[in-house]
Amino acid sequence: MADDWVDITAEDLDRWAGGAGDGVDVYGIRLLLDLAGREPGLSGPADLTPERLRRLMLQTFPEEVVAEAADVQSIVDTARSMVDFLAGTGRLAPGAAGALHEELTALQPRLAEVIARIDEVERETAGEVVRGMMLADGVRLDDEQAVQAWLGDFERLSEEERIDRATAYLREAEEMTVPAVPLAPLPELAAAARASGLLHRVRALAGWAGGRAVTEHGEPVPGDLPGAAEAAGLPGPAAAGPADLADLPDLERLWWAAVEAGALTVEGGRAAPGPLLADLRDGDDETVLAAWLRLFDEAVVGGAGAVADGDTARLVRAELTGVLIHLYEQEEPADRDGLAAALAGHLLDTRMDHGHAPAPAEVAGLLGRELDELESWGVVEPAAGGLELAPLGVWGVRELLRSEGFVAPVVGELADRPAAELVAGLAWHRERTAGQEIAGWLAARPAEQAAADLIEVMRTGGPGARSVAADVLGEVGPDAAAAVRAALDDPATGPYARLWLHEHGDAEAEPRHSDLAWMLTDTVAAMLESADPADAVAAALADLPDGAGLDLLIEGMGGLGHPQAGAVLDALAAHVPDPRLAAAARAVRAG
């Protein structure tokens, strides 16, 4: 808390409560005082105006404290007791208490709405977490008996155990979230699937195989292997002829992908076209894509089983899913040589225990063949001197990731969501897709509404959310000037509002030095939310413009009333490279 709030001791409060009669919630008053002490611009009780009390009760309190709609009356009563305590101990100016009591009466209905809405959202979120935990445990949500059994087991856990399990699940869920990607329209994806070399090969193989004999293992008989390879457009056997299907790895992959996906059936010693072919021939766009995905899944993932030592071709093929995920997560096209070098290094690390690590040149050649095949399937494509996933490949890899439980956001899905969800969701975007997501969100609402919604996030959120919302606000057009101007008087948003107005032609709204100090404090505090102090300071200083005057900015942090100023000054004192500036940060912190 700010110094004026720290001066309020537990003894002061207990002494006052002892004379105020029964029913005074001392703990609740202390909680409100702690929240008030962390409010930007609220350095002491004398600053507690009706407007700031409204912000404390309608924004900060619901964000920080778990409450239910039934608690609203007791919350307001506790706030009234806080006002009476401050007035009764001379910490409020004469007459101020009456205005604050009137404000509490006026805001009570709105507080009930806010808490009810948050309670509903929290219940929905809790439900989503529980459903996700059940799925992670292999429970089918349409199996009512299994669901009820899982819920019964979960409810029998202690509260601490339930919290621990939920926390572990959420941590794992965060690790299983991949970057957002743009998806091509459904007709475009279906057209690419119909043109895919994978489908062409499967159709040709199924057409050739109809009615032919198969071995007891469901494979083409040895004498038919050359014809099968020729029909599918794949490399044929050596002159001496293969002994079985395993000697032709490309044909083996295609054959078993077709069988497992349902494009081929093998029964009674004969092969026949399977039902999947009808989906490919007659299906609508969704049906064709689903059929293509089954084949793609079987061809890339299904055959990645145990690999014999020394079988480098199958070893490289078994790593294709990792290569595809790498391409999915990269923002820029990947260099083929770089992909091969990375794969060779990975195989060196993982295969040493098996006594064999393939040579990099061999890996590069085999991976090149696999990438060429994936290109013919429409999964990868050349781009800017490298290679990236084609639109069909992006869709297909995303579907495979989702089937494994990954959260895979899509560009554009935040367009109709509230500003707070946009700000949170941008954490999973790369620079290019973040711009696309922001542009779509802004296009879906008037500029003034967008600005007002973002400013609300900046008022109520922490430094990280405020920094992201401020970046988005910078993309809002000049029609938002009125909404931005309304944010000038709030300590948390005023610095950003002045910067926005100045950048949009208002010469009188040039940011003050204290504004720059506030925004730097916000920047470092935001980075401290997800990085260690040394990295946070290094990143913030790297983005600081030349001539910004870091010494003056550090000096200005002392009187800002920023809730995280102390933590930021500690980080600067410990990690800023210049000893003089580090000493200045320590001095401001001590003062």
Side-chain angles (χ1 to χ4, degrees):
M1 292 193 295
D3 290 344
D4 287 351
W5 295 102
V6 174
D7 288 342
I8 301 173
T9 66
E11 290 77 11
D12 291 337
L13 184 54
D14 290 339
R15 190 180 306 113
W16 175 86
D22 296 334
V24 174
D25 182 1
V26 174
Y27 173 79
I29 295 173
R30 191 69 194 177
L31 175 61
L32 287 173
L33 292 172
D34 286 340
L35 293 176
R38 287 184 262 144
E39 279 287 284
L42 195 52
S43 58
D47 296 327
L48 191 59
T49 62
E51 292 77 15
R52 285 173 173 158
L53 178 63
R54 170 170 284 265
R55 169 175 165 156
L56 174 68
M57 298 303 297
L58 296 185
Q59 298 175 12
T60 304
F61 180 86
E63 288 287 332
E64 298 291 337
V65 181
V66 177
E68 298 179 358
D71 301 328
V72 171
Q73 184 61 58
S74 64
I75 293 168
V76 173
D77 289 344
T78 300
R80 292 183 185 279
S81 296
M82 178 190 71
V83 171
D84 291 340
F85 162 69
L86 294 174
T89 55
R91 290 180 168 90
L92 285 177
L100 295 176
H101 277 300
E102 290 178 6
E103 181 61 35
L104 286 169
T105 299
L107 65 78
Q108 182 168 341
R110 177 61 178 151
L111 179 62
E113 294 175 6
V114 170
I115 289 179
R117 185 181 71 246
I118 291 176
D119 186 44
E120 180 181 359
V121 170
E122 288 177 344
R123 289 176 186 273
E124 291 177 357
T125 301
E128 291 175 2
V129 170
V130 169
R131 287 190 291 273
M133 292 170 67
M134 284 192 282
L135 288 170
D137 286 346
V139 176
R140 287 181 51 182
L141 298 184
D142 58 356
D143 185 340
E144 184 64 24
Q145 185 175 356
V147 168
Q148 291 304 319
W150 188 95
L151 289 173
D153 291 340
F154 188 69
E155 288 298 325
R156 281 189 286 273
L157 299 173
S158 68
E159 182 178 1
E160 183 178 357
E161 288 173 321
R162 291 198 297 269
I163 291 173
D164 287 344
R165 284 196 59 185
T167 301
Y169 164 75
L170 290 171
R171 187 182 301 114
E172 182 179 349
E174 182 174 348
E175 293 172 354
M176 293 189 69
T177 300
V178 292
V181 295
L183 286 185
L186 183 66
E188 181 181 328
L189 292 170
R194 291 185 175 99
S196 170
L198 176 61
L199 294 196
H200 291 170
R201 292 196 195 282
V202 166
R203 285 198 197 98
L205 182 62
W208 169 88
R212 292 183 181 271
V214 294
T215 68
E216 60 180 333
H217 302 297
E219 300 175 347
V221 297
D224 279 346
L225 289 174
E230 182 180 2
L234 295 172
D244 55 37
L245 185 63
D247 294 320
L248 295 174
D250 294 332
L251 180 61
E252 180 186 35
R253 171 171 65 179
L254 192 69
W255 177 270
W256 285 115
V259 170
E260 295 299 330
L264 266 176
T265 62
V266 285
E267 295 179 355
R270 296 283 171 182
L276 194 75
L277 292 179
D279 291 342
L280 295 172
R281 183 183 63 248
D282 305 323
D284 59 16
D285 288 350
E286 290 186 1
T287 302
V288 168
L289 278 172
W292 181 89
L293 181 65
R294 289 178 63 185
L295 287 167
F296 177 60
D297 186 5
E298 292 296 340
V300 174
V301 180
V307 178
D309 189 36
D311 191 347
T312 307
R314 284 184 171 82
L315 190 61
V316 169
R317 181 166 292 169
E319 298 292 338
L320 280 184
T321 51
V323 173
L324 291 171
I325 292 171
H326 176 79
L327 291 173
Y328 187 94
E329 294 183 327
Q330 298 304 301
E331 187 164 17
E332 300 298 331
D335 177 70
R336 278 182 175 244
D337 292 339
L339 284 174
L343 179 56
H346 169 71
L347 293 176
L348 178 64
D349 292 338
T350 57
R351 300 298 293 184
M352 288 302 292
D353 291 342
H354 296 267
H356 171 77
E362 184 182 13
V363 171
L366 291 167
L367 179 61
R369 288 187 64 244
E370 296 294 345
L371 292 174
D372 289 343
E373 183 70 359
L374 289 171
E375 186 175 343
S376 77
W377 294 359
V379 173
V380 301
E381 63 185 10
L387 199 69
E388 66 182 9
L389 290 180
L392 181 62
V394 171
W395 177 83
V397 174
R398 178 175 181 266
E399 290 300 310
L400 297 185
L401 287 168
R402 292 176 66 203
S403 71
E404 293 297 319
F406 282 84
V407 177
V410 172
V411 174
E413 64 186 8
L414 298 175
D416 62 348
R417 310 304 295 169
E421 292 189 31
L422 170 73
V423 169
L426 287 174
W428 305 111
H429 281 261
R430 283 81 61 96
E431 183 176 352
R432 180 173 59 183
T433 61
Q436 296 170 347
E437 190 70 65
I438 291 169
W441 188 85
L442 292 176
R445 51 193 43 78
E448 191 164 357
Q449 178 192 339
D453 292 348
L454 291 164
I455 289 167
E456 184 69 11
V457 173
M458 295 165 68
R459 283 196 181 104
T460 59
R466 190 156 51 241
S467 295
V468 175
D471 288 341
V472 179
L473 182 64
E475 302 297 321
V476 181
D479 291 346
V484 177
R485 198 171 299 281
L488 285 171
D489 293 333
D490 190 296
T493 59
Y496 298 99
R498 268 182 288 280
L499 177 63
W500 187 95
L501 291 167
H502 185 70
E503 290 178 343
H504 286 76
D506 187 341
E508 296 181 1
E510 184 172 2
R512 304 182 293 235
H513 191 270
S514 60
D515 295 332
L516 301 178
W518 178 280
M519 288 187 281
L520 177 60
T521 305
D522 255 0
T523 298
V524 179
M527 293 178 177
L528 287 172
E529 293 177 357
S530 58
D532 65 61
D535 291 341
V537 169
L541 297 187
D543 292 337
L544 201 63
D546 293 337
L550 182 56
D551 52 347
L552 296 177
L553 294 175
I554 291 174
E555 181 181 343
M557 290 179 184
L560 289 177
H562 193 295
Q564 283 80 32
V568 169
L569 287 166
D570 287 341
L572 291 170
H575 300 291
V576 72
D578 188 331
R580 180 180 61 85
L581 295 175
R586 287 192 291 272
V588 173
R589 180 72 166 108

